[in-house]
Amino acid sequence: MKKVIAPEQEKYEVIYEKILFNKITEAFSWRERPKDMWELSFETATIIMPDDEIALKQFLGKNWQDITLDIYVNYDDALYVFTPSAYAYYLPGLLITSAKAMDIAIAEDEAIVRAEAEAEAKAKAIDIALGRTRAKVRAKARAMARAEALAKARAIGDKKARIKGFINIVVFWIMDFEKILSDSYLFKRWATLTIEEYLAVKAWLIWITREDTYQDDEDIYQNDESVCQNNVMNSLISLDKLIDLAKQREK
């Protein structure tokens, strides 16, 4: 059963989210929109396909602040053919939009849980006040309210699942830091980041996978929660290695 987040916790999360977004924005603020958007790679046999061209056009001439999550989700092919400078330039938008969408879905989810609790409390109060009178009417009204709440909860659940799926399949794949350390093509794309940019990515990773948000669906994670946590831990360890390498470069 989902628990209702206390108002104090919600206030803290709103404040932290703002701090996180500012951290990401400031870390990448020095970057300018690149002129060269894509490159061919013989190492990975990367060639520009029609779908790649369509995806790249969604980014051409746009600042990263103008890119929505829908563009990242629907045209993720661009992420795989970007030049290192283009990848780094649009990375903050990917971080912020995915975190923001997840947090909105979580807030909506919590609002539904709270509304359900309040509706149940009111229904019980009515039952006590009216006793058994009009029992069928009350039962029907409660059933309708529950059905509506369930429909809303499923819609929010679908939205969260879509965001999580995108993060799992796309974001975590391109942020497979252990693979990045051993793959020259991927490493070239990530080696352009500064220490502050790496730290911003690390803060995002910790936030997006925090307990009771990314891992709050017991029916999904009850059998492999430890696997999920290990993947996150391995990502953080590998990311720290990239940070150490960046420190050596910046000496």
Side-chain angles (χ1 to χ4, degrees):
M1 182 176 179
K2 294 181 182 295
K3 63 182 180 181
V4 178
I5 296 178
E8 294 79 10
Q9 179 67 17
E10 287 186 334
K11 183 177 180 181
Y12 162 79
E13 293 194 350
V14 170
I15 294 174
Y16 186 86
E17 181 192 67
K18 184 176 181 180
I19 293 174
L20 173 64
F21 293 171
N22 286 340
K23 182 182 183 71
I24 294 172
T25 301
E26 290 177 5
F28 289 84
S29 63
W30 67 278
R31 292 188 176 273
E32 297 181 354
R33 192 172 68 226
K35 295 180 180 179
D36 297 327
M37 294 288 289
W38 66 85
E39 65 179 358
L40 302 180
S41 173
F42 295 105
E43 297 176 26
T44 58
T46 300
I47 59 175
I48 303 300
M49 302 295 290
D51 287 346
D52 298 331
E53 292 182 355
I54 293 174
L56 287 165
K57 286 180 180 178
Q58 310 306 312
F59 294 84
L60 288 175
K62 295 180 181 178
N63 296 325
W64 69 259
Q65 294 90 340
D66 301 324
I67 306 299
T68 64
L69 181 64
D70 284 340
I71 292 178
Y72 284 111
V73 172
N74 296 324
Y75 301 98
D76 61 300
D77 290 337
L79 299 173
Y80 303 97
V81 293
F82 275 152
T83 59
S85 58
Y87 182 82
Y89 177 77
Y90 288 104
L91 181 58
L94 178 61
L95 302 179
I96 290 176
T97 56
S98 59
K100 186 178 295 184
M102 177 68 79
D103 291 344
I104 290 174
I106 291 168
E108 292 175 344
D109 197 11
E110 289 299 329
I112 290 174
V113 173
R114 189 174 291 108
E116 287 176 341
E118 292 175 353
E120 192 67 22
K122 289 180 181 178
K124 288 181 179 179
I126 292 174
D127 286 346
I128 294 173
L130 299 181
R132 294 183 177 276
T133 61
R134 303 184 67 186
K136 290 184 179 181
V137 175
R138 294 200 311 277
K140 183 178 180 180
R142 291 176 67 173
M144 291 177 62
R146 284 177 178 143
E148 182 179 355
L150 180 59
K152 290 181 179 179
R154 284 176 177 170
I156 297 300
D158 290 344
K159 182 188 296 186
K160 289 171 66 179
R162 181 168 177 260
I163 298 168
K164 288 180 180 180
F166 173 71
I167 292 171
N168 279 333
I169 297 172
V170 178
V171 179
F172 281 171
W173 188 90
I174 60 179
M175 293 184 183
D176 185 347
F177 299 112
E178 185 174 358
K179 185 176 180 181
I180 289 167
L181 289 168
S182 60
D183 187 308
S184 60
Y185 173 73
L186 292 176
F187 182 76
K188 182 180 178 183
R189 290 156 65 85
W190 279 88
T192 61
L193 268 61
T194 66
I195 295 174
E196 290 303 317
E197 288 171 336
Y198 279 127
L199 291 175
V201 173
K202 185 176 182 179
W204 171 88
L205 180 61
I206 293 172
W207 177 250
I208 202 71
T209 58
R210 67 194 185 279
E211 187 180 2
D212 292 331
T213 57
Y214 187 78
Q215 301 176 35
D216 65 354
D217 294 289
E218 294 178 358
D219 57 334
I220 296 176
Y221 291 106
Q222 61 181 351
N223 295 322
D224 61 348
E225 183 174 347
S226 60
V227 174
C228 178
Q229 292 173 342
N230 287 336
N231 288 341
V232 173
M233 184 59 65
N234 289 335
S235 292
L236 290 172
I237 292 172
S238 297
L239 185 54
D240 282 338
K241 292 179 181 178
L242 287 170
I243 292 174
D244 288 339
L245 291 174
K247 288 179 180 178
Q248 295 176 21
R249 290 197 310 270
E250 296 183 16
K251 282 184 179 180

